[in-house]
């Protein structure tokens, strides 16, 4: 039982509803039975989902984007554009909004809703101007003492030659350094793919939360498989070995909390998913809003120092 079976049943339901409406036929009993079966499958999938299923679910095109969450969680959003050096990057959106009356700076990777939109958004993979824009907006937030909220959903930074020529690696590195120094709360949500330095460039936060069916990794499963076994078709095997799901990273102490998703995934009920994120954000702002700038910096430093903690076994002669 997998996502393909679920999709087939949902298509059958849609077709029956269409025929029922078009020819005035009563298929209510059949549709109700199929909908009950779909619901049972969704519950089963949620409880028994394999790592590779979660990876696939985190990548589907229907998954809510940063702009979806901004629309459902914040008010009075004003989008800000450009890096004041080269240009605008539509793969990353940023701006100012209010959250229950509090001014917030919010930014995140932006994927498209269809093929045309995805080409325009470069599938959520930023060029250097995107990271420079995000840094400019975050520096402004730090200056005016506004909390920063980031939404991470990218396969990685754009890997093209032009991005490297314009300083991709330097732009990401500057984000890491500057985010570590800010004296305002930084709250990060991994809402889809969290791939490589492209994700980390928005991930130096006091709190890092992951949705239930997402992953966060230094390399994609396909990339790891190609490096380890010279075979990208081994991606499923690599995904299990990498320990990159929300559950794995919670156990390893990389993230602070897992946010549950509606049965079937975040795309099934975007308002409900936004409500879950909103509750977590409210709690984080209440906790971090009481800390002064020095403590916020130190808490962030301590948090990242603990990641990757290990015990060294020494041998004595």
């Amino acid at each position: 039982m997998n996502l393909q079976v679920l999709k087939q049943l949902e298509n059958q339901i849609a077709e029956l509803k269409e025929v029922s409406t078009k020819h005035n036929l009563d298929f209510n009993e059949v549709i109700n039975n199929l909908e009950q079966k779909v619901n049972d499958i969704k519950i089963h999938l949620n409880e028994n989902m394999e790592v590779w299923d979660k990876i696939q679910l985190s990548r589907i095109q229907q998954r809510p984007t940063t702009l979806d969450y901004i629309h459902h969680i914040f008010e009075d959003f004003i989008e800000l554009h450009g890096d004041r050096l080269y240009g605008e990057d539509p793969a990353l959106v940023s701006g100012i909004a209010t959250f229950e009356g509090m001014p917030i700076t919010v930014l995140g990777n932006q994927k498209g809703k269809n093929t045309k939109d995805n080409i325009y958004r470069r599938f959520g993979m930023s060029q250097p101007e995107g990271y420079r824009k995000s840094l400019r907006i975050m520096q402004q937030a730090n200056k005016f003492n506004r909390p920063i909220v980031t939404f991470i959903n990218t396969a990685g930074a754009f890997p093209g030659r032009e991005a490297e020529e314009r300083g991709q690696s330097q732009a990401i590195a500057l984000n890491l350094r500057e985010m570590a120094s800010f004296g305002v709360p930084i709250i990060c949500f991994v809402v889809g793919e969290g791939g490589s330095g492209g994700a980390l460039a928005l991930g130096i936060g006091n709190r890092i939360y992951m949705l239930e069916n997402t992953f966060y990794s230094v390399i994609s499963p396909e990339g790891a498989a190609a490096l380890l076994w010279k075979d990208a078709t081994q991606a499923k095997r690599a995904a299990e070995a990498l320990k990159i799901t929300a559950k794995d990273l919670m156990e390893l102490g990389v993230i602070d909390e897992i946010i549950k998703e509606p049965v079937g995934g975040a795309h099934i009920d975007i308002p409900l998913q936004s409500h879950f994120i909103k509750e977590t954000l409210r709690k984080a702002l209440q906790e971090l809003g009481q800390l002064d700038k020095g403590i916020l910096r130190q808490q962030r430093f301590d948090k990242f120092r603990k990641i990757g903690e290990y015990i060294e076994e020494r041998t004595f002669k």
Side-chain angles (χ1 to χ4, degrees):
M1 197 173 291
N2 53 35
L3 290 173
Q4 289 180 338
V5 176
L6 179 63
K7 188 66 181 173
Q8 288 172 358
L9 284 172
E10 288 179 332
N11 289 340
Q12 285 180 21
I13 292 171
E15 289 172 7
L16 283 172
K17 285 182 176 179
E18 185 179 346
V19 172
S20 175
T21 304
K22 192 173 179 180
H23 300 287
N24 197 25
L25 298 173
D26 184 4
F27 291 141
N28 285 338
E29 187 175 348
V30 179
I31 291 172
N32 288 339
N33 288 336
L34 287 174
E35 286 179 335
Q36 181 59 47
K37 193 170 182 179
V38 164
N39 194 48
D40 291 344
I41 291 174
K42 287 177 178 177
I43 293 172
H44 175 82
L45 282 173
N46 259 30
E47 292 174 349
N48 301 282
M49 196 173 287
E50 295 181 357
V51 172
W52 190 240
D53 291 328
K54 290 177 181 285
I55 302 292
Q56 290 179 305
L57 196 52
S58 74
R59 291 170 165 172
I60 61 172
Q61 191 164 278
Q62 300 93 326
R63 201 161 179 89
T65 66
T66 292
L67 286 175
D68 289 327
Y69 288 125
I70 288 175
H71 173 72
H72 283 91
I73 296 172
F74 301 95
E75 296 176 339
D76 309 318
F77 177 63
I78 301 171
E79 187 170 356
L80 302 175
H81 302 272
D83 68 342
R84 304 293 188 268
L85 184 64
Y86 183 83
E88 164 67 0
D89 184 355
L92 192 146
V93 293
S94 60
I96 303 168
T98 58
F99 179 76
E100 300 179 341
M102 178 189 297
I104 298 279
T105 287
V106 57
L107 58 152
N109 310 113
Q110 180 65 29
K111 291 187 177 181
K113 289 287 190 181
N114 51 50
T115 302
K116 184 179 178 182
D117 194 20
N118 256 324
I119 291 171
Y120 171 67
R121 300 282 184 185
R122 225 175 290 107
F123 294 85
M125 295 186 288
S126 282
Q127 302 229 34
E129 47 270 27
Y131 295 114
R132 285 194 289 262
K133 175 175 71 172
S134 68
L135 179 57
R136 181 176 75 81
I137 303 302
M138 288 191 287
Q139 287 172 330
Q140 183 196 68
N142 189 51
K143 179 179 180 180
F144 292 103
N145 203 31
R146 287 194 298 266
I148 298 169
V149 175
T150 71
F151 292 98
I152 298 168
N153 184 14
T154 181
F158 186 72
R161 176 179 173 179
E162 65 272 32
E164 295 299 334
E165 289 174 340
R166 295 200 295 274
Q168 184 76 291
S169 301
Q170 184 195 36
I172 292 173
L174 281 175
N175 267 28
L176 305 187
R177 187 188 72 184
E178 294 301 306
M179 287 182 80
S181 71
F182 291 152
V184 295
I186 303 176
I187 302 161
C188 308
F189 295 94
V190 180
V191 294
E193 294 182 271
S196 193
L200 194 58
L202 300 183
I204 310 299
N206 297 91
R207 296 281 189 277
I208 302 174
Y209 302 104
M210 288 180 70
L211 302 195
E212 192 175 353
N213 300 314
T214 62
F215 74 93
Y216 195 23
S217 173
V218 68
I219 191 169
S220 69
E222 290 83 356
L227 285 174
L228 289 173
W229 302 298
K230 311 298 181 190
D231 183 1
T233 62
Q234 296 292 318
K236 184 177 179 181
R237 178 182 170 196
E240 292 172 356
L242 282 168
K243 303 291 183 188
I244 55 179
T245 65
K247 182 174 180 290
D248 293 324
L249 296 178
M250 186 71 196
E251 291 173 358
L252 292 169
V254 175
I255 65 169
D256 295 279
E257 192 174 314
I258 299 171
I259 300 175
K260 65 180 178 180
E261 295 189 17
V263 174
H267 61 291
I268 298 295
D269 193 337
I270 298 176
L272 180 59
Q273 185 64 74
S274 302
H275 173 71
F276 292 153
I277 295 175
K278 197 171 181 178
E279 284 187 331
T280 303
L281 177 59
R282 184 184 297 116
K283 180 183 171 188
L285 287 171
Q286 288 172 351
E287 292 172 356
L288 297 172
Q290 301 173 11
L291 305 179
D292 67 30
K293 294 182 178 181
I295 294 177
L296 283 169
R297 291 192 196 96
Q298 188 63 47
Q299 189 270 339
R300 207 176 300 133
F301 176 81
D302 292 341
K303 173 183 179 60
F304 279 83
R305 289 289 292 177
K306 288 178 184 175
I307 293 175
E309 196 171 4
Y310 64 95
I311 298 173
E312 185 178 3
E313 292 185 7
R314 295 185 177 182
T315 56
F316 298 95
K317 294 181 180 179

